[in-house]
Amino acid sequence: KNKNRPNPDRYSKQRWDKLMRHARCSALIKVLPDFSDVLVGHATWADYSELLRIWKTYDFPLAHVQSKVMSFSSYAGMLSSTDDWYITDRQLLVTETTTQVEDESTFRELDPRSQVDSWVRTMVANRLADDGAAWSRLYVKGNSGTYNCQWMVLDFKKFTAGTQPQDGFYTMTEIIPGSFRSEDMTAALLNRGESKCNKDNEDHDTCYKNTMYWPSVNRPFWPDIRARAGYPEEDPDAADNAFFSFENNPRGRVFARDQSHVKSIHDMMAIITYNDPSDPLQEDAGHGIASRFDLPGADANDPTIRPTGAIDFKVSSAPMVTKMMSVSQIGPTHEAALPHWRLQQAENGAQADRGAVGRPFRWDDSETFSAVPHYGVPMELDFNWQIMGPGRLDLPQDKASVHSFLKGGK
C-alpha cells in the first residue's frame, strides 16, 4: 500500500492548483529526429507585477574560472536569474523548474549555519563548471533545501549537428532538503521511445526518432526523490496520479502529444507559449504550458482571477548557444492563433475563437488587477519576441528583424 496516499484530498486537483499559483515553470528539451539541432524552451511563472525584466550579460575576466561570460534573464536588483535561464561561454545552457516539497518533515534538514542559498551556489557552479557533471557537483555542496528544483544542464560542446549527442550532454539534478540525485540523462533523453513507442508498429523507428525529448513541469522524476518529497508513487490507475505524476498530468500530456511537431525554433516558440483552455488534455487556463490565472476557471480551488501566470518565454538552439543568444518574449501568452499542428489535429481544421487567452493582458480589465501594485509595468502586456544575448543592444526589434535572425540572417 502506498504510504504517500493517506489523505484523498492531498493529491487532488484543488491542491495542485493552489500550489501552482506560486510555482515556476515549464520547460522542454527537444532533439530533432535527424540530429540537426537541439532546441530548448522555458516559460517562467510568476506574478505579472514582476515584469520589470532585465536581460543581463556578465563579462568578468576572473582568474581560475571556467566561465568568464554568462548571459541570462533576470530582474532589477538581482545578481542571478532566478527564472532560471543561463548560457555560459563554455556552451552550457542551465535551466530548471521548481518542485514543491509535500513532506514538511524534510525541512528538519535545514541548517543555516552550514548551508548556502541556492542563487549563490548557482552562480558559483556557472563560473567554475566546464560540463554538467561538474556543475552538479558544485551546485549540491551546501544544499540549503530552500529552493528545490529539477535542474537541467545541457553541454553543447558534446553536440555536433548531424550526430547524436555524446554522453554527458544532458545532466539532470533533482534536489530537496537533505537529498539530491544527479545523473547523466543523455541516454534517457535519446531513448524515451523505448517506453512510448509500440515495437510491433511498422512506424516504430519513426516514432522512436520523434520521441527524443524531456519535459519538466514542476514534478520530480526519480522515485526516491518523489518519495522523500512526499509525492505519490507513479500509478496510472490511481485517481490522484493525474496531477502529481511526473508526466501523466495536463502539461506533461500536452508535451507528449505535441513535441513531435517541434521541428524548428519557431515551433519551440509556439509550444512553450501554448495555452488552450478548450484542449481536453490541458483542461483549463491554469494548466497551460504558459499558464494564465487571470482568466476565469483557471483554478479549481478558487474562482478569484489573479494577475499571475507565465510571465516570459526563452528559447535557444545549438547554433544560438554558441553565440550565447536566446529569443525571448515577455508574457503572459496571448497568441491569436493556435500552433499549426493543433489546427491540423482539429476535426474541421478551422481556427476557433481564442477568446481572452488570445488577447494581451490589461491591468484595467479588472478591479482585482488594478489593485495589485505594478509600478513601471505597462497597462497592456503586448510584447514581441526579441533576440537577447551579448551585443544585442538594438532594442526593441521588429518582427521582421527577429525572423531574419532566426532564419540565419543578420
Side-chain angles (χ1 to χ4, degrees), residues 56-78:
K56 301 180 180 181
T57 298
Y58 288 176
D59 187 348
F60 299 158
L62 303 173
H64 312 299
V65 299
Q66 291 288 340
S67 175
K68 293 178 169 59
V69 186
M70 68 177 78
S71 189
F72 56 96
S73 58
S74 187
Y75 307 76
M78 302 298 293

Side-chain angles (χ1 to χ4, degrees), residues 4-204:
N4 286 341
R5 286 195 174 100
N7 183 344
D9 296 326
R10 180 176 179 180
Y11 303 113
S12 65
K13 183 177 189 292
Q14 288 76 15
R15 170 67 177 162
W16 184 257
D17 285 355
K18 183 178 181 180
L19 295 175
M20 286 301 97
R21 281 192 181 274
H22 307 285
R24 319 171 171 216
C25 318
S26 301
L28 178 66
I29 303 167
K30 174 63 180 178
V31 181
L32 297 192
D34 59 358
F35 300 113
S36 59
D37 205 348
V38 179
L39 305 170
V40 188
H42 184 273
T44 297
W45 294 16
D47 293 337
Y48 301 164
S49 57
E50 296 186 29
L51 276 172
L52 291 177
R53 308 304 312 279
I54 300 178
W55 196 279
K56 301 180 180 181
T57 298
Y58 288 176
D59 187 348
F60 299 158
L62 303 173
H64 312 299
V65 299
Q66 291 288 340
S67 175
K68 293 178 169 59
V69 186
M70 68 177 78
S71 189
F72 56 96
S73 58
S74 187
Y75 307 76
M78 302 298 293
L79 297 179
S80 63
S81 171
T82 77
D83 282 344
D84 287 273
W85 178 270
Y86 304 89
I87 301 178
T88 77
D89 58 358
R90 298 303 298 155
Q91 296 186 47
L92 298 184
L93 190 156
V94 181
T95 191
E96 53 83 10
T97 71
T98 52
T99 51
Q100 181 75 22
V101 173
E102 287 295 285
D103 186 346
E104 295 183 359
S105 70
T106 61
F107 293 118
R108 297 171 187 160
E109 303 286 345
L110 302 186
D111 180 7
R113 296 168 298 180
S114 62
Q115 297 166 346
V116 182
D117 285 347
S118 175
W119 73 267
V120 177
R121 303 188 337 264
T122 302
M123 297 302 278
V124 169
N126 287 347
R127 284 289 179 203
L128 299 182
D130 185 53
D131 56 33
W135 192 98
S136 177
R137 287 195 301 270
L138 290 161
Y139 177 75
V140 300
K141 291 181 178 179
N143 172 22
S144 62
T146 55
Y147 191 64
N148 305 296
C149 304
Q150 181 183 95
W151 285 93
M152 295 155 280
V153 181
L154 296 137
D155 184 357
F156 279 85
K157 298 188 300 298
K158 298 182 181 296
F159 172 71
T160 301
T163 60
Q164 75 175 40
Q166 303 171 30
D167 291 348
F169 170 72
Y170 173 36
T171 302
M172 189 174 83
T173 301
E174 291 188 333
I175 192 164
I176 60 174
S179 302
F180 68 87
R181 181 169 173 177
S182 180
E183 290 185 15
D184 178 1
M185 295 292 283
T186 308
L189 170 66
L190 299 177
N191 297 321
R192 297 202 85 216
E194 288 185 354
S195 61
K196 292 180 174 292
C197 299
N198 186 344
K199 294 182 180 180
D200 297 327
N201 192 310
E202 61 181 10
D203 294 327
H204 172 264

